[in-house]
Amino acid sequence: MFLFFALFFLFSHNPAVAQTRAWQKAEDAFLHAYSNGKDWTKSYEALAVLDAARAATLKKQAEAVAGIFTEVLKTEKQLVPKQCNYLVIYGYENSNEELLKQASDTVRLAVLANMDRASMKVFVAGSKDVRAVLRTAIKTTGMPFERVFEISADSNKAAAAQILPALLDDVKTHQYNMDNLLYRRVLLLTKASNTRVGYAAFVAALANNAYNMMLDDFSTLDVTRKQLDSPSRKERARAFMELRSNH
């Protein structure tokens, strides 16, 4: 019992712990306000007092996530995917056979649109079974497998946390001309119902986005177009909460 109270006293009076708690409280207030379209000024000011650079980064991330809710999301039923240097395929866990077949068709389309450049790389995240299905789809395109990287991940956050460091390391290793939009564009391919929340996870993982990477969406339509174009408050909240620090 004495040990418990001693630890409680130490942690509750530790300046670093207190600052972390203060940040978390202000961060949650800021993200909730931003998500709901309310005044976030005071919570942002509280964040800036604690860490101005970190607060500025979070604000830019929130602006990026807000932007994805104003865009018309792109699916395989609308457009050919944009040219990109990196294709990231993720978020197909718990998909039925029909959706995985549709995903395979979308994957082939995205790969074939971009594989003519030797620098282009593909990252596939998910469970072993899902990756196997998507790997088969990629194989039919003739894409060299030394340019395909598999990631074991069971969530958007886990996929982003593993893929982006590898992707940015590739940028650094090859010293691409980052003034060229092509080398900065990352095509995020997932099921449409996961597009906005997944996008937010990758925005969060990019942190201050030193290379000014451009995240673009391309998805497999697993809901009606009306549902896709009318995001719920719950989806919006989930997306903004992806920006929370690791508590």
Side-chain angles (χ1 to χ4, degrees), residues 173-202:
T173 298
H174 291 90
Q175 298 184 329
Y176 298 125
N177 174 15
M178 301 309 283
D179 289 332
N180 186 335
L181 176 62
L182 176 65
Y183 292 112
R184 292 191 285 117
R185 180 173 284 138
V186 182
L187 193 62
L188 301 177
L189 172 55
T190 187
K191 52 190 175 185
S193 60
N194 185 51
T195 299
R196 296 182 179 94
V197 177
Y199 174 89
F202 278 84

Side-chain angles (χ1 to χ4, degrees), residues 36 81 85 90 94 145 149 210 220 228 237:
N36 293 316
N85 202 49
Y90 72 104
N94 304 314
F145 253 73
F149 303 88
T220 309
L228 183 61

Side-chain angles (χ1 to χ4, degrees), residues 20 36 43 48 56 65 74 86 112-113 140 146 172 174 224 226:
T20 298
N36 293 316
S43 54
V65 172
K74 298 176 285 295
Y86 301 102
L112 286 169
T140 63
E146 60 268 22
K172 183 177 180 180
H174 291 90
T224 66
K226 182 178 181 180

Side-chain angles (χ1 to χ4, degrees), residues 22-41:
W23 174 272
Q24 291 170 355
K25 182 178 179 180
E27 181 184 57
D28 282 349
F30 171 77
L31 291 174
H32 280 297
Y34 211 113
S35 172
N36 293 316
K38 296 181 179 179
D39 185 7
W40 43 262
T41 307

Side-chain angles (χ1 to χ4, degrees), residues 104 107-108 130-141 145:
S104 295
V107 165
R108 279 190 286 269
V130 169
R131 296 198 317 268
V133 172
L134 300 174
R135 183 173 60 242
T136 298
I138 295 170
K139 189 175 181 179
T140 63
T141 67
F145 253 73

Side-chain angles (χ1 to χ4, degrees), residues 192-228:
S193 60
N194 185 51
T195 299
R196 296 182 179 94
V197 177
Y199 174 89
F202 278 84
V203 167
L206 274 173
N208 64 359
N209 196 6
Y211 287 107
N212 196 25
M213 304 302 290
M214 306 288 290
L215 301 178
D216 208 347
D217 70 274
F218 191 58
S219 60
T220 309
L221 195 61
D222 64 326
V223 292
T224 66
R225 188 72 224 187
K226 182 178 181 180
Q227 289 174 311
L228 183 61

